Amino acid sequence: MSDHSEAPVTPVGPYEPPYYAAVFTTVRTPDQSDYSETNARMEELVKDVPGFLGMDHAQTPGGLGITVGYFRDAEALAQWRSNTEHRAAQKRGRADWYESYTLHVAKVERSHGFTRTRVPRSPTAG
Amino acid sequence: MSDHSEAPVTPVGPYEPPYYAAVFTTVRTPDQSDYSETNARMEELVKDVPGFLGMDHAQTPGGLGITVGYFRDAEALAQWRSNTEHRAAQKRGRADWYESYTLHVAKVERSHGFTRTRVPRSPTAG
């Protein structure tokens, strides 16, 4: 649900399990009219859902797109799922934007993260 | 773990829950030496794991990469996690290829898919 292009990019998480991940994998059609605007709106809307933790998005040009939304619990996910604007966007997606998609809703049992430690090139006092 | 470029791309389909999804989100360093070869090898290796269901990958150029591996059960996932070559690749990834990453291991509770139905342009009998 995202076309992030701002730098720098950082992966979401990890959070303390359990939490939920909604994995949305898509192949899009050539007709992407209104997609960007709707997508931007959805990105704003989802932030208002209590328990929304964050979202990762990657898009291979001309290929697969993957969006993963992270939610604290099933209630947060249910609230997002039942959002009226979100439902309208899903309907439009099936009508126009998506050639195919799969949604996997999953409860995260464990997670971990890694961030590279940079060694300073020229250490200075203080 | 994938740089799929073959067409056509199709998202891994919904399976009957429960199954596992390992969501691996990455930001890479400028040093990608040996990455493609190792990645291709991992893609082959994981197919030998009993219970491996499939893999989705998307990569925003210069941005986030997301790989999702799907496994029938925790045993399949554990077998992949303990694979010797896989562990060596992970170590190399932390040393050279990844600026940061997060791994979320999650049990899929529900899933569904959508595939566009094409209306034939000129219907023919038979």
Side-chain angles (χ1 to χ4, degrees):
Chain A
M1 286 174 278
S2 167
D3 275 325
H4 292 144
S5 50
E6 320 86 41
V9 184
T10 312
V12 171
Y15 286 89
E16 183 73 24
Y19 55 98
Y20 275 84
V23 180
F24 185 54
T25 58
T26 69
V27 174
R28 296 205 233 153
T29 64
D31 176 11
Q32 294 298 301
S33 50
D34 303 331
Y35 174 81
S36 295
E37 296 80 355
T38 306
N39 186 56
R41 172 69 180 148
M42 291 304 114
E43 280 195 29
E44 284 308 307
L45 261 187
V46 72
K47 289 177 187 164
D48 293 338
V49 174
F52 171 70
L53 299 175
M55 188 179 287
D56 285 320
H57 177 74
Q59 175 72 53
T60 301
L64 202 72
I66 305 179
T67 299
V68 187
Y70 304 93
F71 297 85
R72 186 72 269 173
D73 50 33
E75 289 66 35
L77 202 49
Q79 184 171 332
W80 176 233
R81 191 158 44 132
S82 64
N83 180 283
T84 308
E85 277 193 68
H86 184 206
R87 295 184 79 94
Q90 290 174 319
K91 193 173 174 182
R92 177 73 189 276
R94 285 188 294 271
D96 294 330
W97 301 321
Y98 299 120
E99 189 62 43
S100 60
Y101 66 71
T102 305
L103 176 71
H104 313 262
V105 176
K107 183 190 259 184
V108 178
E109 298 185 348
R110 67 173 195 275
S111 60
H112 72 266
F114 165 80
T115 302
R116 177 168 304 278
T117 306
R118 292 280 170 206
V119 179
R121 277 155 189 260
S122 53
T124 53
Chain B
M1 286 170 278
S2 166
D3 274 325
H4 292 143
S5 51
E6 320 85 42
V9 184
T10 312
V12 171
Y15 284 88
E16 184 72 25
Y19 55 98
Y20 276 84
V23 180
F24 185 55
T25 58
T26 68
V27 174
R28 295 204 233 153
T29 64
D31 175 12
Q32 295 297 302
S33 51
D34 303 331
Y35 174 81
S36 297
E37 297 79 355
T38 305
N39 186 56
R41 172 67 181 152
M42 292 303 114
E43 281 196 29
E44 283 308 306
L45 260 187
V46 72
K47 290 178 187 163
D48 293 337
V49 175
F52 171 72
L53 299 174
M55 189 178 287
D56 285 322
H57 176 76
Q59 175 71 53
T60 301
L64 202 71
I66 305 179
T67 299
V68 188
Y70 305 94
F71 297 85
R72 187 71 270 173
D73 50 33
E75 288 67 34
L77 202 49
Q79 183 169 334
W80 176 232
R81 192 158 41 130
S82 65
N83 179 284
T84 308
E85 277 192 67
H86 183 206
R87 294 184 79 94
Q90 289 174 320
K91 193 173 173 183
R92 177 73 190 273
R94 286 189 293 272
D96 294 330
W97 301 321
Y98 299 119
E99 189 62 41
S100 59
Y101 66 72
T102 305
L103 176 71
H104 312 262
V105 176
K107 184 190 257 183
V108 179
E109 297 185 349
R110 65 172 195 277
S111 59
H112 72 265
F114 165 80
T115 302
R116 179 167 303 278
T117 308
R118 292 280 169 203
V119 179
R121 276 154 188 262
S122 53
T124 53

